[in-house]
Amino acid sequence: MALFTPNLSFNTFTYNSSLFTLPATRRRFIRCPRSLKLRASLAVDSPSTSATGRGGAAELLLEVKDLSAVITESKQPVLKGVNLTVREGEVHAVMGKNGSGKSTFVKVLVGHPDYEITGGSITYKGQDLLEMEPEERAVAGMFMSFQSPVEIPGVSNIDFLNMAYNARRRKLGQPELGPIEFYGYIAPKLELVNMKVDLLNRNVNEGFSGGEKKRNEILQLVVLGADLAILDEIDSGLDVDALRDVAKAVNGLLTPKNSVLMITHYLRLLEFIAPTYIHIMENGRIVKTGDISIAKVLEKEGYKAISGT
Amino acid sequence: MLTAHSVAISIVSSIIHPPPTALTSQSISSCLPKLIPGSKTRRRTEKARVFTQSPTLAVLSDPHVLLLAETLEDSLQSSSSAPLPPLQKLRDISAQSLLLTPWPSRKDEPFRFTDTSFIKNSHIEPISPSKSRSLASLPVLSDTLLPLNVTILDGYVVDSLSQLSELPDGVFVGGLSSITSEATMKRVSECVPNFQGDLFWLLNGVGAPDIIVIYVPEGCRVESPLHLKYFSLKGSEKDSKTLPISNPRVLVLVEKGGEIGIVEEYTGVDGTDMCYWANSVMEIVIGNGAKVSHSYIQTQSLGAAHIKWTSVRQESTSIYELTEVSTGGKLSRHNLHVQQVGPETVTELSTFHLSIGDQIQDLHSKLVLDHPRGVSRQLHKCIVAHSLGQAVFDGNVQVNRDAQQTDAGQLTRSLLLKPRATVNVKPNLQIIADDVKCSHGAAISDLEDDQLFYFQARGIDIEAARKALIISFAAEVIGRFPNTSVQKKVEGLIRKLLDPTIPSG
């Protein structure tokens, strides 16, 4: 099957590339997943010739080079040279065994203090991401949905969202919204994630069920918007209906401009949110990159079939 | 970071505690030279006084305590009429006990972490009732948060500033002398005192000018909460080493099936650094199936000493709910004693203390369960936000032999926000019954990193995140005030204290 090594740059496969005869918007993939395979093989067969220098090429959004990181406290290495490039409009999925470093990787991207960068670089929108505070990354359009979102007793969900929303408005030089205006803005968004209004007045994640927590993360994504949405196991603990709601909300946000990086263990999520690329992570590195077919092999035969080279 | 703080914690759990090292008469007389009471050399009046009656006892007394008791007694002698029987009884009992009560030192277990020398080293001046001042002109006094309210100035009820017209029939609120019903007076006499506390309790017993009685008859539900507004008008300048003392005393007596909400609010009026000593006692007697929900807000001046006793007796199936927020005072201590006198009682205690300056916030609570199937929930939280600030919590729960199937839970959480901020917590459960469900927990920390990061990950800067989390820490207790206007007022107050730049309300 079509497999890439991670350090191959993906700058060739863009929707706009004239090489692709199939219309390659993502919504297309959702409707007919089979086209993905075709498109991917097309891409493999046609190495970088056209995209370079083309005005229509999607912009580079995130570029991770040889990233290594350790756990701050124990200095134990977790990431050992990760390379990844995400362009505008792309959907990337990272898969891998438990403990392979997937979650660490995305936490490092958003600046989690539990990890310390020991080497490599991350460029986001042309800026050195490692120089940015976590809140600066967030207002610059990076959004991570947490695998297990923390409960914050005493802070209501709507106040929290309002604070976060206003932080972004400030950054954009727009006037902040008061609680009443904000309620008007947020109320229609609840439907998008099929969430009840009363969850807004409850404390952030406090006493939420697993599904409610995930929906709440996606609500935040919908409200705040994101140029790069990072979804850390958004599918774990969700039933099929909830998963469909979440996927619908995520798909609804996708435009040719913004991108998704998601971590998952299951093919199921990828059926709802079609990835442009799938990366397999092993022992702190991305060891394979390819299309949906990798996930299918995984599903059938497990990581053994893919690990190594 | 936690390691940056000097934290003194002692956690004693699930053990039988040795009794506090009280000085007994034998031990003191055998090892100390005979003390000559300070009163002996002082001026005499011809009136017979408790403190001069029994020289044999006086020999064992603490001269400082005697002097103080005498001063208080003198100040009350001037008032014309003889005290009514319940008050006389209270004064007699208190005076007798004071003879054997020394000023507490750091060697006494209940005062191990609480230094009372600030009071001891000050000149204590009793306050006589203010007469001529046009009180209504004080803006703070005209604040009417709740429709039912009583204003208590320096320990004296001011009728002209109280609104009681909406009280239901049969409910009485006022001083002893205003009680017209003989039956009520009889009940009051039976109930005073319901308990005997430490030195400060006794000093209040000697110095209280009156007993303010709140009487709710059988089966009567008072819908609107009763707001007791305690103001300390009289204060001395900072560093003057003088503390005007007030001794307000309240008895809440709720008969079988009755129900009332009490909001106690203590405030200083002039400036924030005025020095005074509020030495207050509230006794609460809750009849069978009756309910008292008690809100207590303490925002005294940062120069004040505030010592408060709350002693509660709960008869069977009664409910007592306390919600407390204390932020004021240089030295503030709440002694809370809840005694179960019948089965199936429910007791809920939620308290929040904030030390924002060079001050001590102390809660000593004791819950004694002697009957089966009682339920108790205690949550104590405190924030120390100053490097010279201190918080103390001693939470004792006794589950005695007959208190089978008791369900008692206690949790204390402390936040230390500055290096060298100190908290001393001593949760202690004494369980003798064998079929009980008891839990307790104590946590001392800075803010949770995970929670801070969650805010940051959504674009909220760390300072704003810290503020929101600190407010939310307090909000858990504030949210338990049953009355929403009280809730809002206290929340605004806490916001203002934690960050003067956040607009209140």
Side-chain angles (χ1 to χ4, degrees), chain A residues 185-204:
Chain A
Y185 168 77
I186 196 176
K189 312 261 180 204
L190 288 170
E191 278 174 41
L192 288 175
V193 288
N194 227 340
M195 239 169 91
K196 289 190 199 101
V197 182
D198 66 316
L199 283 183
L200 286 180
N201 292 322
R202 283 181 38 199
N203 292 330
V204 179

Side-chain angles (χ1 to χ4, degrees), chain B residues 210-419:
Chain B
D210 196 357
I211 299 173
I212 301 160
V213 176
I214 298 167
Y215 180 80
V216 179
E218 192 175 321
C220 177
R221 289 187 58 198
V222 184
E223 298 287 340
S224 174
L226 174 67
H227 190 184
L228 302 180
K229 303 190 283 182
Y230 299 82
F231 290 107
S232 292
L233 275 184
K234 201 158 182 190
S236 62
E237 293 300 315
K238 204 183 170 195
D239 302 324
S240 65
K241 293 226 160 217
T242 302
L243 294 175
I245 183 176
S246 61
N247 288 291
R249 187 170 194 109
V250 177
L251 170 72
V252 180
L253 181 46
V254 182
E255 302 286 19
K256 190 175 166 186
E259 205 176 312
I260 191 168
I262 308 265
V263 180
E264 276 193 286
E265 186 179 11
Y266 291 82
T267 333
V269 176
D270 295 318
T272 54
D273 266 351
M274 293 298 272
C275 299
Y276 51 84
W277 175 14
N279 187 43
S280 178
V281 173
M282 175 176 270
E283 294 181 280
I284 303 175
V285 178
I286 312 174
N288 288 351
K291 177 179 176 182
V292 171
S293 77
H294 182 192
S295 305
Y296 166 45
I297 304 148
Q298 188 273 102
T299 59
Q300 301 278 26
S301 108
L302 290 180
H306 178 87
I307 309 284
K308 155 91 165 132
W309 267 95
T310 305
S311 67
V312 184
R313 275 170 73 86
Q314 281 192 262
E315 290 176 16
S316 67
T317 65
S318 66
I319 301 174
Y320 175 68
E321 291 168 354
L322 169 74
T323 310
E324 170 187 347
V325 168
S326 289
T327 63
K330 181 176 172 56
L331 165 61
S332 167
R333 172 162 167 136
H334 186 194
N335 300 286
L336 172 63
H337 186 104
V338 182
Q339 172 77 51
Q340 183 195 38
V341 292
E344 290 169 51
T345 55
V346 176
T347 311
E348 281 191 31
L349 313 172
S350 314
T351 45
F352 170 66
H353 284 184
L354 174 62
S355 265
I356 203 85
D358 172 10
Q359 59 182 148
I360 301 179
Q361 292 290 354
D362 178 354
L363 173 67
H364 267 65
S365 67
K366 183 170 188 152
L367 176 58
V368 185
L369 296 149
D370 282 322
H371 297 268
R373 297 178 299 280
V375 175
S376 75
R377 290 285 171 270
Q378 180 171 24
L379 170 68
H380 177 66
K381 298 183 105 173
C382 61
I383 296 180
V384 185
H386 192 280
S387 52
L388 294 172
Q390 187 193 347
V392 179
F393 171 58
D394 184 326
N396 173 253
V397 180
Q398 277 182 29
V399 184
N400 290 327
R401 192 167 308 280
D402 295 327
Q404 298 295 357
Q405 288 160 39
T406 289
D407 178 356
Q410 183 191 64
L411 179 67
T412 172
R413 286 195 59 200
S414 310
L415 264 188
L416 300 180
L417 299 178
K418 286 280 158 65

Side-chain angles (χ1 to χ4, degrees), chain B residues 90-147:
Chain B
L90 173 68
R91 286 181 183 170
D92 290 349
I93 290 173
S94 304
Q96 283 297 332
S97 301
L98 268 180
L99 293 171
L100 286 170
T101 310
W103 192 276
S105 83
R106 298 286 290 269
K107 286 177 189 154
D108 300 320
E109 186 60 28
F111 289 87
R112 197 167 134 203
F113 302 113
T114 310
D115 187 352
T116 54
S117 57
F118 164 57
I119 302 177
K120 195 181 182 187
N121 298 335
S122 298
H123 174 64
I124 309 297
E125 267 179 358
I127 308 173
S128 43
S130 46
K131 287 159 195 158
S132 56
R133 290 179 72 169
S134 88
L135 297 166
S137 67
L138 290 161
V140 70
L141 298 181
S142 56
D143 158 49
T144 46
L145 189 68
L146 299 167

